Amino acid sequence: MPAEQMTSANKPLSADGRTYHVEVREGEVANRIVTVGDAKRARTLAQHLDRVLFERESHRGFVTITGVYRGLPVSIVAIGMGPPMVDFFVRETRMVVRGPMSIVRFGSCGSICDATTGDVIVATGAFAITRNFKFFSKEADRPYILWPAVASDPQLTRAVTANLARPLGAAHVYSGLVGNADSFYSSQGRTGSDFYDANGDLIDTVHATYSDAVALEMECHMLLHLAQTSTGADGTSPASIRAACALMVFADRAGNSFISPETSERMVQAGARAVLDALVEEMPSQDGLHPAAGSV
Ligand code: R1P
Ligand code: URA
């Protein structure tokens, strides 16, 4: 999409109304969204839709698939990795969807609790962990900053938990606070000698700060933060976005194991209907509040 076709520097849209990075326009994204990191996971989830109505891969790698699930419009959006990609995704879909939105992240994580590969962790909330650049310039004492936690939407979270417990068994569904790190490596406490990361005690610090911390990954906090700060139709409150996060355990940090491709594929298949069911059960109607969802 060449820059000369964009309409505004503040909110760039193409001549045909598509957002600059995600490349979606009104009517192409539903009010109910499952977001994942991996485009392959998005396509596996899409196999569970009754019908696919729209699919687009943007020049920045966002994949949006919109279809019908149990009679209601649902979108599945693959965003890649990290907080900036969440920011592009949430802000640009918000630009083109009218009315309230419900977003469930179906991601992966490293477990820092008893949950192991094959289990799922549902976030009660999430906090950010960022590298403290001042420390590495000798201007601060702490190498990492742990930010305050933001809560997940309680109803959507309950629905996600209950629906996941059916295929997986309740004993395989854990819950707690999730740390959203700005690196897979340094700020998740993965140690090594290629860089000076000062992170040998980071996971202990996470547990000391948040006794209910259960997982580390890279998107939940930004999603919950943007939901928390989303504004209603009048530009104020209440928030227009509700969000929840379910994370498949890919890395068991205590047991030092990583999931096999076969187990991860099985987990995506097992969880797909659960997250889609939670979304449609928690936003069941097209009662005029969601005109964009009705038009896809
Ligand atoms: C790292 O491998 C990626 O996997 C996790 C992390 O949050 C990070 O994005 O999420 P997804 O499986 O949703 O991509
Ligand atoms: N995703 C992460 O961000 N960390 C892990 O350890 C596994 C998946």
Side-chain angles (χ1 to χ4, degrees), residues 36-38 41 80-82 105-108 184 217-219 250:
V36 300
D38 183 339
R41 191 180 313 150
M81 294 180 278
R105 164 164 156 72
F106 186 35
S108 66
F184 182 84
E217 53 78 81
M218 300 179 68
E219 290 83 15
F250 277 16

Side-chain angles (χ1 to χ4, degrees), residues 81 105 107-111 179 181 183-185 188 190 216-219 248-253 258:
M81 294 180 278
R105 164 164 156 72
S108 66
C109 69
S111 167
S183 164
F184 182 84
Y185 299 99
Q188 290 191 26
R190 287 187 162 90
L216 301 175
E217 53 78 81
M218 300 179 68
E219 290 83 15
M248 298 168 281
V249 176
F250 277 16
D252 177 344
R253 298 297 305 278
F258 206 87

Side-chain angles (χ1 to χ4, degrees), residues 253-271:
R253 298 297 305 278
N256 198 23
S257 60
F258 206 87
I259 200 164
S260 68
E262 295 72 27
T263 308
S264 85
E265 177 60 22
R266 184 177 56 73
M267 290 188 74
V268 175
Q269 289 290 2

